[in-house]
Amino acid sequence: MSARRRRLVATTATAAVPLALWATPAAAHGTLGDPVSRVAACYAEGAESPTSAACKAAVAAGGAQALYDWNGIRDGAAAGKHQENIPDGKLCSANADEFKGMDLARDDWPATQVSAGSYTFKYKVTAPHKGTFNLYLTKQGYDASKPLAWSDLDLEHPVATKTDPVAEGGYYTFSGTLPQRTGRQLIYGIWQRSDSPEAFYSCSDVTYGGGASSGGAAAAAPKASAPSDAQIAKDADKSTIDHGGMDMGDGATHEDHTASPSAAPAAGDDTAAKGGNSPEVNGSSQDLAETGGSSSTSYLAMGGAAALALGAAGLFASTRRRANAGARHGR
């Protein structure tokens, strides 16, 4: 290779790095799948035409894009300051305007029926990150017809805590214990990354033995259902959140918005990830998906001018999808 050609290749590769960093879309994360989160339950009904009154109201308030972006409720600068960064009444959206429909104070959100005792929680994940899950239940007397406040949660006694679980079949699975409650309650999930300030949040509506709100008027609770992998795959191009680097249950990782039907992992599988900065996924080491500025971003790890060019092409495609989504929803 001539000296001139070497300089040209080096210049092209150097220029591509800041372009990739600038154009990188938010990486996908996940949400509680059992008990199913509010945003996922509404998405399962159909983003454009949900069937329950609460989900219809959520779309009317915040638009359908929030449901296509079901795995993107996050705060990139959380760093453990959850209460400082998220005001009362904004917990289910993590204070993000896109998801404001999730904060509607209603006692008819689709819900999962539960009872006191041991519970196997499943977190639907589309990109692995090292970090800690903490799940909190509302206190007895919680009134779902009022905006959710931090004081509504029993923050002293999480119903489940797990650090670096292993993802299998598209889920993190770990055990916890639900205390005695009656009526409608809510489980609030916080997943704080340990390799980044970023944290992810979810609200899961549950009922103990029925659909009545413990503090407000009685209301029948529509049953919450989780979206299928087939639905997620079909709608992936409508999402502004990339699905990258996650085994969705078919033995292969997916970095192109493709998902395959997956079987749920065996109950009680809460084996911790092993060492290093790459959690174990289905028995093999995988790079973490990047959103918070750690040193192992997948775009840089690709290396080489050819890889950067391929990455830029994918980024431009993703940027076009985001632009089209914004145009459709007036953003």
Side-chain angles (χ1 to χ4, degrees):
M1 183 184 293
S2 68
R4 181 180 180 183
R5 178 179 288 274
R6 285 196 299 271
R7 286 195 299 271
L8 178 60
V9 170
T11 301
T12 302
T14 302
V17 171
L19 173 63
L21 291 176
W22 171 79
T24 301
H29 317 303
T31 192
L32 267 172
D34 188 1
V36 63
S37 70
R38 185 174 289 181
V39 67
C42 287
Y43 169 60
E45 293 183 9
E48 304 293 340
S49 55
T51 56
S52 67
C55 293
K56 289 179 180 178
V59 170
Q65 190 60 46
L67 305 190
Y68 290 122
D69 294 345
W70 58 272
N71 55 354
I73 300 180
R74 57 180 285 276
D75 177 2
K81 297 180 180 180
H82 312 297
Q83 293 185 62
E84 294 92 331
N85 291 0
I86 302 175
D88 286 345
K90 305 287 187 179
L91 274 69
C92 293
S93 67
N95 202 28
D97 188 65
E98 177 187 359
F99 297 101
K100 62 185 178 183
M102 298 299 109
D103 289 320
L104 296 180
R106 306 178 61 101
D107 60 5
D108 60 348
W109 286 102
T112 300
Q113 188 162 338
V114 299
S115 58
S118 61
Y119 197 95
T120 300
F121 296 94
K122 296 178 180 178
Y123 195 97
K124 182 65 174 177
V125 60
T126 49
H129 303 293
K130 296 197 83 173
T132 297
F133 290 87
N134 280 296
L135 307 184
Y136 303 97
L137 184 65
T138 45
K139 301 172 183 175
Q140 187 64 34
Y142 161 65
D143 186 349
S145 66
K146 297 178 180 179
L148 180 66
W150 286 104
S151 59
D152 291 322
L153 302 172
D154 185 358
L155 297 173
E156 298 297 321
H157 305 96
V159 297
T161 297
K162 187 64 183 178
T163 298
D164 297 341
V166 175
E168 291 191 26
Y171 289 89
Y172 286 128
T173 302
F174 48 93
S175 299
T177 302
L178 294 174
Q180 291 287 344
R181 293 286 192 275
T182 59
R184 177 175 285 270
Q185 302 292 332
L186 182 142
I187 294 173
Y188 191 66
I190 301 175
W191 181 18
Q192 176 63 63
R193 291 179 63 174
S194 58
D195 61 339
S196 162
E198 186 178 45
F200 320 125
Y201 304 88
S202 60
C203 284
S204 294
D205 297 278
V206 299
T207 58
Y208 278 71
S213 169
S214 59
K223 183 178 179 181
S225 299
S228 67
D229 284 343
Q231 179 184 3
I232 293 170
K234 178 177 68 69
D235 290 339
D237 283 342
K238 299 177 183 177
S239 176
T240 65
I241 310 294
D242 266 5
H243 296 226
M246 189 61 213
D247 186 336
M248 297 300 289
D250 61 354
T253 59
H254 296 266
E255 298 182 322
D256 58 358
H257 284 293
T258 303
S260 299
S262 63
D269 180 8
D270 57 0
T271 307
K274 300 177 182 179
N277 197 39
S278 296
E280 187 176 308
V281 179
N282 279 353
S284 63
S285 177
Q286 290 216 163
D287 290 335
L288 298 170
E290 293 307 316
T291 57
S294 111
S295 61
S296 58
T297 149
S298 58
Y299 293 107
L300 296 182
M302 289 165 65
L308 286 166
L310 290 171
L315 290 167
F316 283 128
S318 177
T319 302
R320 285 196 298 271
R321 288 195 297 272
R322 298 182 71 187
N324 290 339
R328 288 198 304 271
H329 300 280
R331 298 193 303 167

